[in-house]
Amino acid sequence: MVERGTHIERFLSQAGWSDAKREPLPGDASFRRYVRLHGAESRRVLLMDAPPPQENVRAYLAVARLLRGLGFGAPAILNQDAENGLLLIEDLGDDTYARLLARGEAEEPLYALAIDVLVELTRRFKPKEARFLPPYDDERLLNEAALLVDWYLPAVTGKPTEPKLRADYLAVWRAALPAARRAPATLVLRDYHVDNLMRVANRSGLMACGLLDFQDAVLGPQSYDLVSLLEDARRDMAPDLAARMKQRYLAAFPGIDRASFDASYAVLGAQRHAKVIGIFTRLSARDGKPQYLAHIRQSLGHPDLAPVARWLDAHIPVESRRVPPSRPAA
């Protein structure tokens, strides 16, 4: 078997970047890693190392081409070895929204641009042009919601979740999910939040908003990316700002049924929180990344979520909703 390093060296040599200075960038919650390559005359590109089978760069390539074709700020693809999970992509810089906000940048202009990108993405996207996108169907949504009982519940109780308890949990979610379909279907990037949005220097308009981490895109309710942005577990957002940004989005679609959209927004927001809670717990228990556990948050106030709220109250009462140990209980 050819070592991973050999694949990388061969790829960089063929692409003309073998002599570049290499600067590894901080990792994220995936198996991907990024290395900034510094070449002659201050040229810079990024090496995406996405080892198969855990990662699949073909999905990234397809969505990147789609986004750029629609006029949005995904990185340009400069070279590729899809079989071995290696890409050279445009370096969009270091100014993620998360870093800008941490440095004290004004929130409203950044969020307003992100909202405007979502609005135009919904307007420009035509499902028939992206038949490769999988549907965000109930099976996917339920599998994600199940991460809470598969990882978080065992971590706080110290024992595996019983099959019947897991089945009952999925049943209450199955009853709630039809409300998620009340919003029209569009391209859903799925991780549209401050860590995956960038302000790109020397760009204007919508292209000034760089887009990252979109390889898991699906065809699903247009409320999903909005709730990912405005109900992000990674940071607290002032309720009045979130309300203004939601209204900014909805004002662009005056024909939309507001009650239906709000129901979809609420259900998918709670489903995403359940998924994120499970993922963050798994990252701590399996992958040794306990820092993600600090982001646990959940909201279940909408009437369509009443059965889910009752299940959680019965089996994970408020006093038990804590950050679990960084390793599974013995």
Side-chain angles (χ1 to χ4, degrees):
M1 178 181 293
V2 179
E3 293 291 333
R4 187 73 185 158
T6 302
H7 283 306
I8 292 172
E9 295 305 323
R10 184 182 301 159
F11 174 64
L12 292 180
S13 177
Q14 291 172 349
W17 285 87
S18 58
D19 296 329
K21 178 184 175 183
R22 303 179 191 185
E23 177 191 353
L25 300 183
D28 60 13
S30 73
F31 290 95
R32 293 184 307 278
R33 72 184 186 101
Y34 294 88
V35 179
R36 176 170 282 145
L37 305 178
H38 298 264
E41 300 178 356
S42 301
R43 292 188 304 145
R44 296 191 330 191
V45 298
L46 289 183
L47 167 67
M48 180 195 292
D49 176 11
Q54 296 93 342
E55 300 287 335
N56 179 7
V57 298
R58 288 183 173 84
Y60 181 94
L61 289 167
V63 181
R65 292 179 183 123
L66 172 63
L67 290 169
R68 289 184 63 82
L70 292 173
F72 297 102
I77 308 300
L78 307 174
N79 215 306
Q80 61 182 280
D81 176 2
E83 181 179 353
N84 291 305
L86 296 168
L87 302 178
L88 285 184
I89 64 175
E90 179 184 10
D91 186 347
L92 299 183
D94 295 305
D95 287 336
T96 65
Y97 272 31
R99 291 193 182 107
L100 293 170
L101 293 166
R103 295 203 299 258
E105 289 262 352
E107 290 182 295
E108 191 136 358
L110 291 173
Y111 276 102
L113 177 57
I115 292 294
D116 293 347
V117 168
L118 278 186
V119 167
E120 284 304 312
L121 187 58
T122 301
R123 286 173 170 167
R124 298 178 189 180
F125 174 71
K126 301 293 187 292
K128 65 181 181 180
E129 299 171 358
R131 299 187 190 279
F132 63 88
L133 289 174
Y136 213 176
D137 55 21
D138 283 3
E139 182 180 3
R140 276 178 191 269
L141 291 165
L142 288 170
N143 285 341
E144 292 174 355
L147 292 169
L148 184 143
V149 290
D150 291 342
W151 289 92
Y152 180 74
L153 184 57
V156 296
T157 63
K159 59 183 181 181
T161 302
E162 295 178 0
K164 184 180 185 308
L165 190 61
R166 187 181 190 273
D168 290 344
Y169 171 78
L170 294 180
V172 295
W173 270 112
R174 194 172 284 108
L177 287 180
R181 308 289 173 205
R182 295 180 194 167
T186 189
L187 172 63
V188 173
L189 301 182
R190 289 181 75 185
D191 283 307
Y192 194 81
H193 53 70
V194 296
D195 290 312
N196 291 331
L197 298 174
M198 302 192 71
R199 186 174 65 194
V200 184
N202 303 316
R203 285 188 185 175
S204 60
L206 299 179
M207 287 292 290
C209 184
L211 303 176
L212 306 176
D213 200 14
F214 43 71
Q215 63 281 339
D216 295 323
V218 291
L219 184 65
Q222 72 178 86
S223 54
Y224 190 91
D225 281 343
L226 184 65
V227 81
S228 299
L229 178 68
L230 302 183
E231 302 290 339
D232 184 11
R234 294 159 185 79
R235 71 183 308 270
D236 292 324
M237 186 177 182
D240 60 332
L241 176 59
R244 287 199 302 278
M245 292 299 103
K246 185 178 179 183
Q247 180 55 38
R248 184 184 184 96
Y249 181 86
L250 289 170
F253 303 100
I256 202 165
D257 184 287
R258 181 63 182 264
S260 295
F261 187 91
D262 285 346
S264 177
Y265 184 94
V267 169
L268 289 174
Q271 183 272 349
R272 183 170 172 82
H273 288 317
K275 176 180 80 168
V276 169
I277 288 169
I279 289 174
F280 289 169
T281 308
R282 182 178 66 188
L283 286 167
S284 175
R286 189 192 69 188
D287 302 335
K289 298 179 180 178
Q291 68 270 26
Y292 287 97
L293 295 176
H295 303 303
I296 288 174
R297 188 172 76 178
Q298 195 165 15
S299 58
L300 290 162
H302 195 275
D304 283 300
L305 290 162
V308 179
R310 286 195 294 270
W311 189 98
L312 288 172
D313 287 342
H315 302 289
I316 314 178
V318 173
E319 60 271 18
S320 299
R321 296 175 194 176
R322 58 185 174 83
V323 176
S326 60
R327 287 290 185 270

